[in-house]
């Protein structure tokens, strides 16, 4: 018999994800929701069994069956998730979804449980733990609902069902037997304090009709959005799934995407590289806009442009620079702390919230941001002169600081260096600024910007080239290879056929590539100030594929791309990294990986069409 409470952690790849463009929830193959920040991506968790199986809290539905097989699938072109429990005794299906939220206070999670075949006992446990399982709560029962109240800030959550609920020690549960074709619903939602007396679900007929209506609206929302995609090429299913992930990780209210849905998940099980990725990195957000624009979703890019303009207006002093990441609503203070009371995923500590990297200098963010604005201007809507004037201040900042040492894309926590990737993206910032100005005849310091663009290029081409390694290296004067160099032909600072690039790619292949999997850099050769090891970085794998394609190695690029798709989980989802056993590691799902897949698929498909392969 299946045990009601899971004793061990599920592999990360065993989870699907649902969301409402305000927050997300991770739903395991065995029917347990083990992670959810509530009501916003960067809010404290309400379920976090993924980070502590005993203390974190979960919301699970478990059919009492023997010898269960598990299957999960999304309804096509949606973020509505079906989980199936298959046994000789019966077949049970859970439909999990979150209606698109009009506001954070309308955040609702719906679980519909149906017995397809047989007669099956069902056990439900809803065990919320407020504020990362740090704050006690009280619970009260009122007919068909249980109301949970945080003792710290009086946050109110409500569980409503059309079956009898039990309340024990602050947790909700239910035990029932369903016959073939019978259905039960569980609705978990946030409620404003003034609505506590308003029972939204009065009687069985009401909850059934309202859930059915919400289901149809949610399905239509995602299908209507997906069909707007301009991508009609090979691998459309994987591209659409990646696009749906990016959309689910992008705030409907603010237009800002988060880097990943989770916090504290390790880059190596038992390791210490466990960060909080539930924030809006300028770099990751800009890359996300690249992906949306390539697929024809220019509205999403426009929403982000409005968000970034607010950051210009709120957070940038005259002559100052952007912070590299913000909370979803643009809040700048992301103080990092450790949740010492949580044991971590498979015991991987520390579990961190916040992210001290927000104070780092990472000059590359200007290149990604201004390139995304350049592409939006080209394929979406033309930018205004007022916006241009704001951008000029950012480009001037790059002109003044491009030769400074920084922490760069990998957020090195050791000493700052002259990193190749940052230098390349500074070149991109100035280059795209010039292109933008000239496409609109906007005024700009012609001689100054062109001179600096040339200086940056020559610095890269001559001072980051290591003659002994026959490659562009990670930082000036070093001999370490870095997969971040793969960005060079993608941003067109160098031809994919340039002898120096061909030699660099060969060196990266020899040292950092394992078949289609790519390491960022060798941690034994470079001290990044963190310690511990890490696994292969999936975005770099997709960059590698795109580099191969741009260099004319189309058959090899296609083979490696399709092999890389085989590392996705059963739903087409990727975390940040892939381990030695092919397991998903790091925060999950990771926007970087999915946008990298979209970019590689877009370019490779177009190249294959032209070559008739």
């Amino acid at each position: 018999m299946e045990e009601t409470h899971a004793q061990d952690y599920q592999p990360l790849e065993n989870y699907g994800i649902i969301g409402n463009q305000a927050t997300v929830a991770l739903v395991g193959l065995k029917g347990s929701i083990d992670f959810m920040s509530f009501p916003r991506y960067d809010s404290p968790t309400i379920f976090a069994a993924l980070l502590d199986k005993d203390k974190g809290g979960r919301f699970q539905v478990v059919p009492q069956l023997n010898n269960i097989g598990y299957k999960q699938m999304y309804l096509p072109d949606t973020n509505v998730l079906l989980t199936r429990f298959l046994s000789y005794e019966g077949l049970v299906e859970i439909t999990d979804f979150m209606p698109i939220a009009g506001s954070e206070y309308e955040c609702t999670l719906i679980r519909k449980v149906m017995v397809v075949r047989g007669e099956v006992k069902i056990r439900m446990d809803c065990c919320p733990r407020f504020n990362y399982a740090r704050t006690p709560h009280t619970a009260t029962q009122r007919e068909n609902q249980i109301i949970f109240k945080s003792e710290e800030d009086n946050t109110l959550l409500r569980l409503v069902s059309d079956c009898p609920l039990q309340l024990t020690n602050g947790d909700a549960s239910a035990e029932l037997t369903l016959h073939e074709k019978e259905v039960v619903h569980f609705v978990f939602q946030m409620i404003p304090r003034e609505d506590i007396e308003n029972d939204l679900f009065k009687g069985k007929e009401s909850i059934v009709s309202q859930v059915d209506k919400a289901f149809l609206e949610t399905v239509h929302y995602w299908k209507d959005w997906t069909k707007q995609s301009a991508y009609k090429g090979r691998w459309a299913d994987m591209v659409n799934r990646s696009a749906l992930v990016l959309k689910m990780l992008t705030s409907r209210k603010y237009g800002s995407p988060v880097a990943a849905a989770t916090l504290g998940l390790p880059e190596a099980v038992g390791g210490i590289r466990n960060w909080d990725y539930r924030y809006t990195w300028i770099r990751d957000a800009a890359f996300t806009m690249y992906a949306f624009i390539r697929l024809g979703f220019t509205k999403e890019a426009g929403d982000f442009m409005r968000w970034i303009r607010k950051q210009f207006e709120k957070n940038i002093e005259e002559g100052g620079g952007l912070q590299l990441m913000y909370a979803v609503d643009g809040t700048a203070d992301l103080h990092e702390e450790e949740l010492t009371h949580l044991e971590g995923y498979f015991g991987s500590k520390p579990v961190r919230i916040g992210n001290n990297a927000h104070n780092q200098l990472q000059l590359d963010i200007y290149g990604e941001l201004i390139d995304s604005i350049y592409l939006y201007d080209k394929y979406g809507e033309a930018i205004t002169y007022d916006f241009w004037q704001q951008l000029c201040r950012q480009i001037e900042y790059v002109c003044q600081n491009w030769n400074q040492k920084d922490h760069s894309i990998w957020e090195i926590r050791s000493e700052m260096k002259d990193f190749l990737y940052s230098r390349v993206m500074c070149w991109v910032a100035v280059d795209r600024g010039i292109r933008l100005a000239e496409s609109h005849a906007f005024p700009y310091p012609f001689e100054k910007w062109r001179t600096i663009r040339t200086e940056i290029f020559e610095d890269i081409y001559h001072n980051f080239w290591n003659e002994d390694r026959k490659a562009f290296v990670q930082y000036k004067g070093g001999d370490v290879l870095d997969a971040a160099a793969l960005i060079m032909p993608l941003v067109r600072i160098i031809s994919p056929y340039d002898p120096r690039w061909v030699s660099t790619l060969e060196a990266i292949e020899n040292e950092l590539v394992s078949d289609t999997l790519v390491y960022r850099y060798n941690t034994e050769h470079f001290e990044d100030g963190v310690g511990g090891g890490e696994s292969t970085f999936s975005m770099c794998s997709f960059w590698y594929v795109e580099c191969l394609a741009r260099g004319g190695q189309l058959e090899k690029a296609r083979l490696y791309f399709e092999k890389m798709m085989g590392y996705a989980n059963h739903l087409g989802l990727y975390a940040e990294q892939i381990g030695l056993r092919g397991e998903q590691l790091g925060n999950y799902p990771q926007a970087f990986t999915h946008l990298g897949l979209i970019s590689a698929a877009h370019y490779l498909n177009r190249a294959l069409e032209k070559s008739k392969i």
Side-chain angles (χ1 to χ4, degrees):
M1 187 71 68
E2 284 288 328
E3 294 184 1
T4 300
H5 296 286
Q7 299 300 310
D8 299 306
Y9 294 94
Q10 286 288 297
L12 194 54
E13 54 267 23
N14 280 12
Y15 287 91
I17 179 176
I18 58 173
N20 62 359
Q21 292 191 262
T23 190
V24 294
L26 268 59
V27 185
L29 269 173
K30 295 187 177 181
S32 183
I33 293 176
D34 290 339
F35 185 90
M36 186 179 189
S37 300
F38 207 85
R40 207 172 73 183
Y41 306 107
D42 50 7
S43 299
T45 58
I46 196 69
F47 303 121
L50 194 64
L51 298 171
D52 193 305
K53 64 183 185 297
D54 299 317
K55 300 176 185 175
R58 56 167 51 90
F59 184 2
Q60 64 181 4
V61 175
V62 181
Q64 306 296 293
L65 295 166
N66 292 302
N67 301 316
I68 300 178
Y70 304 94
K71 297 284 186 181
Q72 269 186 333
M73 62 170 285
Y74 284 109
L75 292 182
D77 297 329
T78 78
N79 285 315
V80 176
L81 184 67
L82 270 61
T83 304
R84 289 180 177 141
F85 303 79
L86 302 101
S87 167
Y88 290 114
E89 303 168 30
L91 193 162
V92 177
E93 183 175 273
I94 302 176
T95 303
D96 288 304
F97 66 99
M98 297 179 69
I100 304 305
S103 73
E104 292 172 5
Y105 292 106
E106 297 174 17
C107 191
T108 300
L109 168 64
I110 296 175
R111 314 199 73 181
K112 176 182 177 182
V113 185
M114 180 176 69
V115 171
V116 178
R117 174 179 53 80
E119 179 180 307
V120 184
K121 291 183 179 179
I122 305 292
R123 168 82 188 196
M124 183 281 300
D125 290 279
C126 183
C127 311
R129 298 293 182 265
F130 288 80
N131 188 25
Y132 307 107
R134 294 185 296 190
T135 300
H137 71 273
T138 58
T140 56
Q141 187 165 10
R142 298 173 55 203
E143 298 181 356
N144 65 332
Q145 62 181 284
I146 291 177
I147 297 172
F148 306 94
K149 180 179 179 182
S150 168
E151 291 187 3
E152 180 179 53
D153 58 6
N154 295 324
T155 297
L156 292 169
L157 303 176
R158 170 167 47 197
L159 177 68
V160 186
S161 181
D162 47 4
C163 76
L165 298 174
Q166 289 81 47
L167 177 59
T168 306
N169 297 325
D171 294 334
S173 63
E175 291 185 341
L176 65 154
T177 298
L178 294 180
H179 299 85
E180 193 166 304
K181 304 291 178 63
E182 286 190 328
V183 177
V184 65
H185 305 84
F186 300 101
V187 179
F188 185 78
Q189 60 189 172
M190 186 174 190
I191 50 175
R193 294 188 66 190
E194 59 270 20
D195 286 349
I196 191 169
E197 298 299 326
N198 178 21
D199 185 352
L200 300 182
F201 300 96
K202 297 180 179 178
K204 186 172 182 178
E205 290 297 319
S206 180
I207 190 171
V208 171
S209 62
Q210 292 196 47
V211 167
D212 287 348
K213 179 183 177 183
F215 171 79
L216 290 175
E217 288 176 348
T218 304
V219 167
H220 290 155
Y221 176 86
W222 292 118
K223 282 184 175 290
D224 289 345
W225 183 80
T226 306
K227 71 182 180 183
Q228 298 173 49
S229 172
Y231 184 86
K232 308 301 178 185
R234 302 166 178 84
W235 319 295
D237 286 346
M238 286 293 286
V239 169
N240 286 345
R241 178 50 52 200
S242 290
L244 283 162
V245 169
L246 296 181
K247 180 70 169 175
M248 197 163 25
L249 294 178
T250 301
S251 170
R252 188 166 185 253
K253 179 177 180 179
Y254 299 105
S256 48
V258 294
T262 58
L263 66 102
L265 293 178
E267 297 176 10
V269 172
I272 61 174
R273 295 168 179 257
N274 317 320
W275 314 108
D276 187 348
Y277 278 8
R278 302 168 303 151
Y279 305 114
T280 300
W281 269 254
I282 299 298
R283 173 194 311 109
D284 301 49
F287 277 134
T288 298
M289 296 311 121
Y290 293 177
F292 280 144
I293 291 168
R294 282 190 174 99
L295 300 179
F297 295 117
T298 54
K299 178 185 181 301
E300 284 68 20
D303 291 342
F304 173 70
M305 296 306 155
R306 284 183 280 278
W307 182 87
I308 197 66
R309 288 199 66 179
K310 290 179 180 177
Q311 308 324 307
F312 288 164
E313 293 163 1
K314 288 193 307 179
N315 298 324
I316 302 173
E317 297 176 358
E318 189 71 29
L322 275 172
Q323 189 166 291
L324 69 99
M325 75 177 90
Y326 299 90
V328 173
D329 63 0
T331 302
D333 184 11
L334 305 177
H335 172 70
E336 185 177 301
E337 61 179 300
E338 296 181 5
L339 300 178
T340 56
H341 65 291
L342 299 180
E343 71 174 16
Y345 176 72
F346 281 104
S348 303
K349 301 185 75 168
V351 177
R352 298 181 178 92
I353 57 172
N355 199 309
N356 281 344
H358 76 275
N359 288 319
Q360 289 186 351
L361 176 65
Q362 296 180 18
L363 292 167
D364 66 279
I365 63 173
Y366 297 94
E368 293 103 349
L369 175 61
I370 296 172
D371 199 11
S372 71
I373 295 170
Y374 167 75
L375 292 172
Y376 176 69
D377 178 82
K378 186 175 182 179
Y379 297 108
E381 295 182 3
I383 66 169
T384 64
Y385 182 58
D386 286 343
F387 194 5
W388 170 247
Q389 289 180 303
Q390 291 178 319
L391 278 181
C392 280
R393 290 198 291 271
Q394 308 316 309
I395 299 169
E396 280 294 322
Y397 179 85
V398 174
C399 290
Q400 295 166 16
N401 294 280
W402 66 267
N403 57 358
Q404 300 298 311
K405 300 177 188 296
D406 75 341
H407 297 279
S408 200
I409 181 174
W410 306 136
E411 299 178 355
I412 305 302
R413 295 201 173 193
S414 56
E415 63 177 317
M416 294 191 291
K417 295 182 182 295
D418 293 296
F419 283 106
L420 169 68
Y421 183 87
S422 293
R423 204 59 47 93
V424 167
M425 297 313 291
C426 284
W427 178 89
V428 170
V430 180
D431 177 74
R432 302 312 193 259
I434 292 170
R435 292 170 185 265
L436 264 171
E438 295 186 348
S439 68
H440 290 284
F442 286 150
Y444 76 101
F446 182 92
E447 293 295 338
K448 177 182 178 182
W449 286 10
R450 285 175 170 264
T451 297
I452 290 174
R453 181 176 65 175
T454 300
E455 289 176 0
I456 299 173
F457 180 90
E458 290 180 345
D459 183 46
I460 293 166
Y461 200 78
H462 299 294
N463 297 330
F464 287 82
W465 174 257
N466 185 301
E467 187 62 29
D468 293 334
R469 299 301 307 268
K470 298 296 182 185
F472 290 105
V473 290
Q474 184 183 54
Y475 57 90
K476 188 182 292 187
D479 61 0
V480 177
L481 296 180
D482 191 330
L486 294 167
I487 199 69
M488 294 177 72
L490 275 56
V491 297
R492 301 185 179 184
I493 193 173
I494 195 168
S495 164
Y497 298 98
D498 187 294
R500 288 195 173 189
W501 174 251
V502 173
S503 178
T504 299
L505 182 59
E506 183 178 348
I508 289 173
E509 286 180 315
N510 290 336
E511 185 169 313
L512 300 179
V513 175
S514 175
D515 192 47
T516 189
L517 300 176
V518 181
Y519 291 91
R520 292 189 293 182
Y521 47 85
N522 190 326
T523 54
E524 295 181 0
H525 296 168
F526 176 66
E527 174 52 54
D528 58 15
V530 179
E534 66 172 19
S535 303
T536 59
F537 204 81
S538 294
M539 182 182 67
C540 293
S541 293
F542 289 117
W543 281 358
Y544 173 51
V545 166
E546 190 167 346
C547 284
L548 291 173
R550 288 178 181 269
Q553 300 184 63
L554 293 183
E555 292 187 4
K556 183 177 180 181
R558 179 172 185 170
L559 173 64
Y560 281 11
F561 180 75
E562 292 179 341
K563 291 180 74 173
M564 188 63 196
M565 287 197 295
Y567 284 104
N569 82 338
H570 58 287
L571 296 168
L573 305 181
Y574 294 88
E576 180 182 39
Q577 301 185 17
I578 293 173
L580 295 175
R581 298 175 58 251
E583 70 272 28
Q584 301 289 334
L585 292 169
N587 285 302
Y588 174 86
Q590 181 85 358
F592 250 172
T593 307
H594 287 279
L595 61 88
L597 184 153
I598 291 170
S599 181
H602 182 272
Y603 185 87
L604 181 55
N605 183 74
R606 187 173 61 180
L608 289 169
E609 289 295 319
K610 288 181 179 179
S611 67
K612 307 297 183 183
I613 293 178

